[in-house]
C-alpha cells in the first residue's frame, strides 16, 4: 500500500462526494435520466429473464432430494421464495448488471473521454458530470431494485414449472405458500442490497470511464475494470449486508 | 499576399498571459510564456508538433491548470475563479477541438442543440431550431442536419464542430489545428470560414496551425512557440524573414517543398 493507492482512494471518495453534491443541485437532466433507466432495463432484461428462470428451476430441482428425505417437498415453494428474495435475486441481478451495464458505462464514458467529448461538454459551458455521471449512477440505483424483484418473480416461475410437473402443485397454491414465508424484513433487505449494488455499478463504471487513460487501450481497460471491481464490491457488500440483516432476523 | 488588417483598433487585451509555466511530471511544456490576444484580431500560433500549443489553449479555457503565471481571459483569472464562474466564462469563449470532438451518439442537430438548450433555457423549441438552422447554414452544411457524426467527412466534422462552438455566440474563438489533416481545398474552405466568423461575429481568435499558407490567409498577427515560450511575435515578415533559426525550417517546409 503505497502513496498512489491512498491517492486513488481519495479520488474515489471525491468522485462520490461530487456525485451527492451535484445530484441534488439543479439543473436536473430528467430526460437523460429516463433514457438511461430505459437503456439499463432494456439491455439486461433478456439475460436476467433467462438466468432468473433457469436459476429458479435448477435450484428447485437440486433442493428436492434433501427435502424429500424428510418428506418435506411441500416446503419447496417457501424455500425457493426465501432463497430468491434474500440472496439469489439481488446477487444474480447485481452480477449480471455489473457485466452488462457496468461494462457499457465504462466503455461509453471511456471512449467519450478519449475522443475529448467530455472536454467538449466542459468547454461548451455544460457540466459533463451532471449530464453523464449523475444520470447514469441514479439510473442504475433506481433500476436495480426493480430488476431484482423482476428476477425473483421470473425465478419463481421457473420453480413453479418444476414443482407443478413433479408435485402437481397449482400456481395459486405455489405462490400462496412461497409469498407467505417472505417477510417485510426480507423485502427491505433485498431492496437495500439492490440499491447498494446499483449505486456501486454506476459509480464504478462512471469513475473508470471518466478517469480512463487517454488512448484506445484506455477504453478497454475502463470497461474491464468496471466489471471486475463492481463484481468484487458486490460480493463484499453482500457479506456485510448478510451480517447486518441477520442481526435483525434473529 | 496582403497582410490582413484588423478593424477594431482599441488595442484592448481580451486574453493576457504572463510568465506561464506548465509541466507534466518531468516534461516541461511551457516555461515563462507571454502572449496577448488583442480584441478583434486573428492571432496565429505556430509551432512544431508537441511543443504545447494545445496545452496553451486548454489552459486558457480552464481544462488544464497552470503551474505558475497569470492567465487572464476577459477580465477573469481562469485558475482562481469558481467552477460556476468558469462555466459562465466558457459561454464567452469558444473552443474548436483538433479532433472535432462531436458527440458520437447524437445527430448533427442534437450536437448543436446540446450547448444551446442547456445555457439558454428561455429559448422555445422553434427558436432553438431556427438558431441551429442558421448556424448550419453559416458553415454551409444545412443538409447534414439529421446525419450522425460517423457519416460525415473530416472537413464536415470540423465545420460542425466550429458551428457547435459558434452557436453560443462567443466573443473569443480558440481553434486547435482547424485545417490539419484536410485536403487543400477543404483547408481553404475552413480558412474562409474562420475569416467569415471574424467579420460576421466580430470575434477575436487564436488559431493554432503548422500550415503557413493557412496561417497567412487567416492571421493578423503571428506567434511562434519554441522551447515553451514565444520568442517571436508580430507580422508574418517579422516572424519569418528575420533569420530566425527556429522559424526557418517551417518556412522551408511549407514553401520550398
Ligand atoms: N494531459 C496531459 N498529460 C500529460 N502530458 C501531456 C498532457 N497533455 C499534453 N501533454 C504533453 O505535452 C506536450 C505538448 O502537447 P500538446 O500541447 O498537445 O502539443 P501540440 O503543440 O502538438 O498541440 C506533449 O509532449 C504531450 O505529450
Ligand atoms: Mg495539438
Amino acid at each position: 500500500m503505497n502513496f498512489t493507492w491512498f491517492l486513488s482512494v481519495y479520488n474515489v471518495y471525491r468522485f462520490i462526494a461530487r456525485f451527492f453534491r451535484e445530484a441534488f443541485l439543479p439543473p436536473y437532466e430528467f430526460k437523460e435520466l429516463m433514457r438511461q433507466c430505459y437503456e439499463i432495463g432494456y439491455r439486461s432484461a433478456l439475460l436476467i429473464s433467462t438466468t432468473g428462470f433457469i436459476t429458479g428451476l435448477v435450484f428447485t430441482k437440486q433442493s428436492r432430494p434433501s427435502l424429500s428425505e424428510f418428506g418435506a417437498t411441500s416446503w419447496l415453494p417457501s424455500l425457493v421464495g426465501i432463497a430468491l428474495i434474500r440472496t439469489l435475486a439481488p446477487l444474480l441481478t447485481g452480477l449480471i448488471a455489473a457485466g452488462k451495464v457496468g461494462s457499457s458505462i465504462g466503455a461509453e464514458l471511456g471512449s467519450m473521454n478519449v475522443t475529448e467529448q467530455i472536454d467538449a461538454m466542459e468547454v461548451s459551458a455544460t457540466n459533463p458530470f451532471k449530464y453523464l455521471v449523475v444520470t447514469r449512477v441514479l439510473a442504475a440505483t433506481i433500476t436495480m431494485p426493480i430488476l431484482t424483484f423482476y428476477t425473483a418473480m421470473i425465478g419463481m416461475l421457473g420453480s413453479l414449472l418444476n414443482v407443478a410437473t413433479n408435485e402437481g402443485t397449482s400456481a395459486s397454491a405455489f405462490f400462496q405458500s412461497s409469498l407467505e414465508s417472505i417477510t417485510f424484513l426480507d423485502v427491505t433487505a433485498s431492496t437495500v442490497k439492490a440499491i447498494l449494488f446499483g449505486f456501486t455499478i454506476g459509480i464504478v463504471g462512471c469513475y473508470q470511464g471518466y478517469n480512463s487513460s487517454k488512448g484506445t487501450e484506455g477504453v478497454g481497460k475502463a470497461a474491464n475494470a468496471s466489471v471486475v471491481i463492481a463484481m468484487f464490491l458486490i460480493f463484499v457488500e453482500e457479506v456485510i449486508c448478510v451480517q447486518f440483516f441477520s442481526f435483525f432476523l434473529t | 499576399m496582403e497582410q490582413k488588417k484588423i478593424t477594431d483598433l482599441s488595442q484592448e487585451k481580451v486574453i493576457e498571459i504572463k510568465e506561464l509555466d506548465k509541466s507534466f511530471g518531468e516534461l516541461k511544456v511551457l516555461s515563462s510564456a507571454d502572449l496577448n490576444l488583442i480584441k478583434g484580431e486573428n492571432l496565429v500560433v505556430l509551432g512544431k508538433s508537441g511543443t504545447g500549443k494545445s496545452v496553451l489553449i486548454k489552459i486558457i479555457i480552464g481544462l488544464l491548470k497552470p503551474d505558475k503565471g497569470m492567465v487572464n481571459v476577459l477580465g477573469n483569472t481562469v485558475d482562481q475563479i469558481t467552477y460556476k464562474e468558469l462555466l459562465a466564462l466558457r459561454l464567452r469563449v469558444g473552443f474548436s477541438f483538433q479532433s472535432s470532438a462531436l458527440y458520437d451518439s447524437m445527430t448533427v442537430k442534437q450536437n448543436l442543440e446540446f450547448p444551446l438548450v442547456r445555457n439558454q433555457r428561455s429559448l422555445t423549441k422553434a427558436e432553438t431550431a431556427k438558431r441551429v438552422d442558421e448556424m448550419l447554414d453559416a458553415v454551409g452544411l444545412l443538409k447534414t442536419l439529421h446525419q450522425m457524426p460517423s457519416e460525415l467527412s473530416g472537413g464536415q466534422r470540423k465545420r460542425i464542430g466550429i458551428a457547435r462552438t459558434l452557436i453560443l455566440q462567443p466573443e473569443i474563438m480558440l481553434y486547435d489545428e482547424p485545417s490539419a489533416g484536410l485536403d487543400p481545398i477543404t483547408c481553404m474552405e475552413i480558412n474562409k470560414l474562420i475569416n467569415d466568423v471574424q467579420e460576421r461575429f466580430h470575434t477575436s481568435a487564436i488559431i493554432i496551425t503548422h500550415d503557413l499558407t493557412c496561417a497567412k490567409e487567416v492571421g493578423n498577427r503571428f506567434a511562434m512557440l519554441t522551447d515553451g515560450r514565444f520568442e517571436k511575435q508580430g507580422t508574418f515578415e517579422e516572424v519569418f524573414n528575420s533569420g530566425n533559426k527556429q522559424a526557418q525550417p517551417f518556412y522551408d517546409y511549407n514553401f520550398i517543398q
Side-chain angles (χ1 to χ4, degrees):
Chain A
M1 283 196 204
N2 51 21
F3 177 70
T4 46
W5 191 84
F6 281 108
L7 194 68
S8 58
V9 169
Y10 175 68
N11 284 336
V12 172
Y13 161 76
R14 286 215 334 196
F15 195 81
I16 295 173
R18 185 170 177 195
F19 167 80
F20 282 108
R21 212 167 47 238
E22 308 239 9
F24 294 106
L25 287 174
Y28 307 108
E29 297 282 356
F30 195 69
K31 216 172 125 192
E32 178 66 10
L33 173 65
M34 289 290 102
R35 196 177 73 86
Q36 289 301 328
C37 286
Y38 173 77
E39 284 271 311
I40 292 174
Y42 178 80
R43 257 186 230 144
S44 25
L46 184 65
L47 197 54
I48 283 181
S49 305
T50 331
T51 326
F53 191 83
I54 292 171
T55 307
L57 196 147
V58 170
F59 186 78
T60 312
K61 193 173 157 58
Q62 305 279 35
S63 308
R64 183 173 291 105
S66 340
L67 285 188
S68 67
E69 267 181 45
F70 307 100
T73 44
S74 60
W75 286 1
L76 269 172
S78 52
L79 173 75
V80 175
I82 291 177
L84 275 171
I85 281 291
R86 283 192 191 161
T87 293
L88 288 177
L91 205 54
L92 261 182
T93 318
L95 293 176
I96 289 174
K100 275 297 254 192
V101 179
S103 64
S104 75
I105 291 179
E108 191 184 10
L109 295 202
S111 74
M112 288 189 76
N113 190 25
V114 169
T115 55
E116 298 184 302
Q117 293 177 53
I118 294 182
D119 283 346
M121 287 188 183
E122 281 276 354
V123 301
S124 60
T126 307
N127 184 342
F129 197 95
K130 249 194 167 70
Y131 181 77
L132 298 171
V133 176
V134 171
T135 53
R136 280 168 177 75
V137 176
L138 277 182
T141 313
I142 295 167
T143 330
M144 268 318 265
I146 301 169
L147 287 176
T148 298
F149 287 109
Y150 172 77
T151 309
M153 278 308 300
I154 297 281
M156 285 195 207
L157 289 180
S159 174
L160 171 64
L161 177 67
N162 188 270
V163 174
T165 39
N166 285 279
E167 277 84 22
T169 318
S170 73
S172 66
F174 174 88
F175 280 111
Q176 199 178 0
S177 69
S178 64
L179 293 180
E180 227 165 41
S181 53
I182 295 167
T183 64
F184 177 70
L185 191 68
D186 288 332
V187 175
T188 314
S190 194
T191 311
V192 169
K193 277 200 279 189
I195 288 175
L196 206 58
F197 294 169
F199 180 77
T200 306
I201 292 166
I203 282 284
V204 171
C206 287
Y207 180 82
Q208 293 297 330
Y210 212 73
N211 296 296
S212 64
S213 55
K214 302 268 168 168
T216 17
E217 87 278 22
V219 180
K221 273 189 198 157
N224 189 45
S226 302
V227 178
V228 175
I229 297 172
M231 281 189 175
F232 174 74
L233 288 177
I234 284 172
F235 280 116
V236 173
E237 286 162 3
E238 170 73 27
V239 171
I240 294 172
C241 284
V242 164
Q243 293 296 326
F244 181 78
F245 283 108
S246 64
F247 182 77
F248 288 98
L249 280 168
T250 50
Chain B
M1 193 183 294
E2 276 291 298
Q3 183 82 37
K4 277 184 59 188
K5 291 283 184 300
I6 319 174
T7 42
D8 192 313
L9 295 171
S10 64
Q11 292 290 309
E12 185 192 328
K13 291 174 191 162
V14 284
I15 296 179
E16 199 178 353
I17 297 169
K18 275 211 183 91
E19 299 186 5
L20 175 63
D21 286 5
K22 178 73 187 174
S23 307
F24 295 104
E26 293 287 291
L27 180 73
K28 244 188 147 141
V29 180
L30 298 171
S31 59
S32 201
D34 294 304
L35 193 73
N36 294 326
L37 179 68
I38 312 286
K39 193 169 179 195
E41 78 173 345
N42 273 352
L43 171 67
V44 169
V45 169
L46 295 146
K48 275 200 299 195
S49 188
T51 44
K53 306 182 296 294
S54 298
V55 168
L56 175 83
I57 57 169
K58 280 180 182 167
I59 290 175
I60 293 174
I61 198 81
L63 283 177
L64 292 172
K65 283 214 176 302
D67 298 338
K68 225 178 101 231
M70 186 203 66
V71 182
N72 192 300
V73 180
L74 295 165
N76 300 275
T77 312
V78 278
D79 57 319
Q80 282 170 18
I81 55 181
T82 63
Y83 185 62
K84 223 176 148 187
E85 289 167 327
L86 184 63
L87 288 182
L89 179 63
R90 284 170 177 167
L91 277 176
R92 305 168 66 193
V93 184
F95 190 110
S96 144
F97 284 84
Q98 187 170 351
S99 59
S100 305
L102 299 183
Y103 308 130
D104 288 335
S105 59
M106 305 180 198
T107 63
V108 167
K109 180 168 177 258
Q110 290 166 333
N111 261 278
L112 267 73
E113 279 172 351
F114 189 87
L116 203 56
V117 296
R118 283 177 178 73
N119 290 298
Q120 298 184 7
R121 283 169 193 271
S122 58
L123 285 184
T124 63
K125 266 213 165 88
E127 286 168 327
T128 308
K130 188 162 160 280
R131 283 274 286 279
V132 170
D133 284 356
E134 275 172 9
M135 208 33 84
L136 277 180
D137 199 30
V139 298
L141 285 175
L142 198 51
K143 60 178 192 299
T144 64
L145 191 65
H146 298 293
Q147 281 183 291
M148 296 302 283
S150 56
E151 299 163 349
L152 304 176
S153 71
Q156 288 177 321
R157 293 169 67 96
K158 271 272 157 63
R159 282 192 279 172
I160 298 295
I162 293 173
R164 185 180 64 184
T165 308
L166 286 171
I167 206 158
L168 291 173
Q169 300 170 327
E171 295 157 53
I172 299 175
M173 276 297 289
L174 307 170
Y175 298 95
D176 198 350
E177 313 228 7
S179 53
L182 300 178
D183 61 88
I185 296 168
T186 316
C187 182
M188 263 164 57
E189 283 170 12
I190 299 270
N191 290 344
K192 190 172 164 298
L193 177 62
I194 293 174
N195 282 331
D196 281 352
V197 168
Q198 184 187 25
E199 262 169 50
R200 254 175 90 168
F201 304 105
H202 307 288
T203 49
S204 327
I206 295 181
I207 300 129
I208 290 178
T209 185
H210 46 231
D211 177 357
L212 286 193
T213 328
C214 162
K216 258 183 126 169
E217 245 169 71
V218 299
N220 304 109
R221 210 157 58 83
F222 303 83
M224 177 97 193
L225 183 62
T226 36
D227 302 328
R229 52 193 301 169
F230 294 97
E231 301 261 3
K232 276 274 169 199
Q233 294 187 39
T235 63
F236 192 82
E237 283 70 27
E238 281 168 346
V239 176
F240 288 98
N241 294 355
S242 55
N244 183 333
K245 279 206 191 66
Q246 310 280 11
Q248 205 56 47
F250 249 94
Y251 195 85
D252 295 347
Y253 170 77
N254 277 277
F255 292 109
I256 295 172
Q257 209 184 33

